[in-house]
Amino acid sequence: MTDIRPLILITNDDSIHAPGLLRLVDCMPQDADVIVVAPAEPHSGQSSAITVGAPLRIRQLDDYGTARMFTVSGTPVDCVKLALSAIVPRRPDLVLAGINHGSNSGCNVVYSGTMGAVMEGCVVGITSCGFSLLHHSMKADFSMGMPFIKEIVAELLRRPLPDGICLNVNIPARVVPEGVRVCRAARGRWTDEYERYTDPLGNPFYWLTGRFVNAEPDATDTDEYWLSRNYISAVPVAVDMTARDEVEFLAPRFDTK
Amino acid sequence: MTDIRPLILITNDDSIHAPGLLRLVDCMPQDADVIVVAPAEPHSGQSSAITVGAPLRIRQLDDYGTARMFTVSGTPVDCVKLALSAIVPRRPDLVLAGINHGSNSGCNVVYSGTMGAVMEGCVVGITSCGFSLLHHSMKADFSMGMPFIKEIVAELLRRPLPDGICLNVNIPARVVPEGVRVCRAARGRWTDEYERYTDPLGNPFYWLTGRFVNAEPDATDTDEYWLSRNYISAVPVAVDMTARDEVEFLAPRFDTK
């Protein structure tokens, strides 16, 4: 292993034009080869969506420092799949996504294109991690979390994650983080989700909005708890969503003789 | 509860035009109110994608039997969210999705728009279940699985699923199923994923294809195992993807002092 430089594949869901993507590249170790394969257009909220029944294009852009830069005309998961099939010269040691402009804590992991890309890396057995800043602005300041990202990436390169497990890292905004805490995702949901409008012809249309409500405000072991105390949260996520414990409980109800 | 008819919300990812959707409506009990809110266009492989930053439209169509029929101009998750916000007259007792034209067994649950809709129902605390037939054709024969679907729906109405747990039901094609087995998802991945083409201008483009490889062909407790023996598989899926056991194992590696 000493004669081969680690290869790190980086993507995101905010597109190749998002500043957070370059800040993640800035966190990579000097001795790594870095290949960025990001969506040509923004794909927030795309979860693990894949492009079915339509062609995809790859475009190579100018290098960013020593990082090679590509776009794919699809979703974050398309980026990872097509990068692994047609772009990378060898199997990456890490798949990273981010730094996302906005939170992926709590149940937001379900909708997150950032974490969709990370789960895809994990499905194919590569140590994978997503990074998100709790600030939506394209002008957000990522600098205060970057020393912690460097440490996390170094640890991921030293020792891979367990098989089938990836990491969802969220970073508080506008503060120097107090530190990092591995924790579980807070349960919660979105409420007041749609704004209703009427178009000039008198027909209604709807626009997604809403706010996230933490269903466990008193729990002290969740990502929401630690983020609210200015810590970085790191949630281990399983790509196998089977609720193992429930198999035996539900079998008597649904199994036929 | 005896004076209120159960309300069942049904969606899919193959669109309002898919025959499998109507076959699922055909499985509903006589004493239930049924509201169908399905995507106006096909959205296979859309996972839990949501429409961010663009408007959504609702359109009401002619009833199908006693079922009220609507389309939403978005993804399967958009359908569930907007149905709950703006269409249903009261909280549904069940959210069902399908019958999907094609398998959602193994790791395919990650990409499945069918299961994205189901997970959305589960996130908001409604007992939710997806049904998929292992046959892609729009002319597939759903009839042999339908008696089993009726039984599963009846049981879901008798007693809700545990909080945070939904069901992913897959149905073998072209046979009378032997029965139903609650089981776990087989691990696996897709290989040979892209076909490479050259367009008339000499530029390459890529098209998703590939085949699913079961990484556990010898395991006897997986959905792939039971489906290959002509059983219907029912996998309990957790919407909280936190790998709880890993929190304590990973904390020493990533927690700061």
Side-chain angles (χ1 to χ4, degrees):
Chain A
M1 292 296 283
T2 50
D3 54 342
I4 299 184
R5 293 159 60 89
L7 175 61
I8 301 176
L9 173 64
I10 293 181
T11 189
N12 74 349
D13 73 355
D14 292 318
S15 92
I16 194 81
H17 305 294
L21 178 68
L22 299 184
R23 296 298 81 73
L24 184 53
V25 176
D26 293 339
C27 295
M28 295 303 107
Q30 292 284 341
D31 68 347
D33 290 335
V34 177
I35 297 180
V36 173
V37 183
E41 304 293 334
H43 278 84
S44 283
Q46 286 295 290
S47 186
S48 289
I50 51 178
T51 298
V52 177
L56 294 173
R57 297 274 193 178
I58 299 170
R59 196 157 70 96
Q60 182 160 13
L61 309 180
D62 291 341
D63 291 353
Y64 173 71
T66 59
R68 295 171 63 201
M69 304 288 282
F70 299 84
T71 65
V72 162
S73 59
T75 67
V77 171
D78 291 335
C79 288
V80 174
K81 282 184 180 289
L82 198 49
L84 296 179
S85 281
I87 298 178
V88 297
R90 61 188 188 274
R91 186 175 166 86
D93 298 277
L94 297 181
V95 172
L96 305 179
I99 304 170
N100 192 58
H101 293 249
S103 169
N104 282 313
S105 62
C107 74
N108 297 307
V109 60
V110 170
Y111 314 107
S112 165
T114 304
M115 287 306 296
V118 167
M119 290 176 67
E120 183 62 24
C122 191
V123 164
V124 300
I126 301 172
T127 287
S128 301
C129 179
F131 298 95
S132 305
L133 183 74
L134 271 62
H135 199 306
H136 274 97
S137 168
M138 282 297 129
K139 294 178 179 171
D141 178 3
F142 292 91
S143 64
M144 290 176 279
M146 288 170 64
F148 296 90
I149 294 175
K150 289 178 189 177
E151 282 300 315
I152 291 168
V153 170
E155 172 59 21
L156 293 171
L157 283 171
R158 275 193 294 270
R159 192 146 60 101
L161 291 173
D163 198 31
I165 306 294
C166 51
L167 271 189
N168 179 22
V169 173
N170 280 272
I171 302 164
R174 295 196 191 91
V175 292
V176 176
E178 295 286 336
V180 179
R181 285 293 179 270
V182 178
C183 52
R184 67 180 177 87
R187 295 174 53 191
R189 53 168 293 198
W190 287 80
T191 58
D192 309 323
E193 291 199 293
Y194 290 93
E195 194 86 44
R196 187 183 192 274
Y197 298 85
T198 305
D199 73 16
L201 296 176
N203 299 313
F205 63 94
Y206 300 84
W207 209 289
L208 190 66
T209 169
R211 63 201 168 81
F212 177 73
V213 177
N214 181 355
E216 307 178 281
D218 299 326
T220 59
D221 60 345
T222 69
D223 52 359
E224 298 294 342
Y225 174 88
W226 286 109
L227 288 164
S228 71
R229 274 148 190 83
N230 295 330
Y231 278 79
I232 290 170
S233 64
V235 173
V237 170
V239 288
D240 179 357
M241 296 185 278
T242 304
R244 295 279 182 117
D245 296 345
E246 299 293 337
V247 172
E248 69 172 299
F249 290 113
L250 294 178
R253 292 179 56 187
F254 296 98
D255 277 9
T256 50
K257 254 56 83 186
Chain B
M1 293 293 285
T2 50
D3 54 342
I4 300 184
R5 293 160 58 88
L7 176 60
I8 301 176
L9 174 63
I10 293 181
T11 189
N12 75 348
D13 73 354
D14 292 318
S15 92
I16 195 80
H17 306 294
L21 178 68
L22 299 183
R23 295 299 81 73
L24 184 53
V25 176
D26 293 340
C27 294
M28 295 304 106
Q30 294 284 339
D31 68 347
D33 290 334
V34 177
I35 298 180
V36 174
V37 182
E41 305 293 333
H43 279 85
S44 282
Q46 287 295 289
S47 186
S48 289
I50 51 178
T51 297
V52 177
L56 294 173
R57 296 274 195 180
I58 299 170
R59 195 156 72 97
Q60 183 160 13
L61 309 180
D62 291 341
D63 291 353
Y64 172 72
T66 59
R68 297 171 63 202
M69 305 287 282
F70 299 84
T71 64
V72 162
S73 59
T75 67
V77 171
D78 291 335
C79 288
V80 174
K81 282 183 180 288
L82 197 49
L84 297 178
S85 282
I87 299 178
V88 298
R90 60 186 189 276
R91 185 176 167 86
D93 298 277
L94 297 182
V95 172
L96 305 179
I99 305 170
N100 192 59
H101 293 249
S103 167
N104 282 313
S105 61
C107 74
N108 298 307
V109 61
V110 171
Y111 314 108
S112 165
T114 305
M115 287 305 298
V118 168
M119 289 176 68
E120 184 62 24
C122 191
V123 164
V124 300
I126 301 172
T127 287
S128 301
C129 179
F131 298 96
S132 305
L133 182 74
L134 272 60
H135 199 308
H136 273 97
S137 168
M138 282 297 129
K139 295 177 178 169
D141 178 4
F142 292 91
S143 64
M144 291 176 278
M146 287 169 63
F148 295 91
I149 294 175
K150 289 177 188 176
E151 282 299 316
I152 291 168
V153 171
E155 172 60 21
L156 292 172
L157 283 171
R158 274 193 294 271
R159 191 145 61 101
L161 291 174
D163 198 32
I165 305 294
C166 51
L167 269 190
N168 179 21
V169 173
N170 280 273
I171 301 164
R174 297 196 190 87
V175 294
V176 175
E178 295 287 337
V180 179
R181 285 294 179 270
V182 179
C183 52
R184 67 179 177 89
R187 295 173 53 190
R189 52 168 293 195
W190 287 80
T191 58
D192 309 323
E193 290 200 292
Y194 290 94
E195 194 86 44
R196 186 182 192 275
Y197 298 85
T198 304
D199 73 17
L201 296 175
N203 300 313
F205 61 95
Y206 300 84
W207 210 290
L208 190 66
T209 170
R211 63 200 170 81
F212 177 74
V213 177
N214 181 353
E216 307 178 282
D218 299 327
T220 59
D221 60 346
T222 69
D223 52 359
E224 297 294 341
Y225 173 88
W226 286 108
L227 288 164
S228 70
R229 274 148 191 84
N230 294 331
Y231 278 80
I232 290 170
S233 64
V235 173
V237 170
V239 287
D240 179 358
M241 296 184 279
T242 302
R244 295 277 183 122
D245 298 346
E246 298 294 338
V247 172
E248 69 172 298
F249 290 113
L250 294 177
R253 291 179 55 188
F254 295 99
D255 276 10
T256 50
K257 251 60 80 188

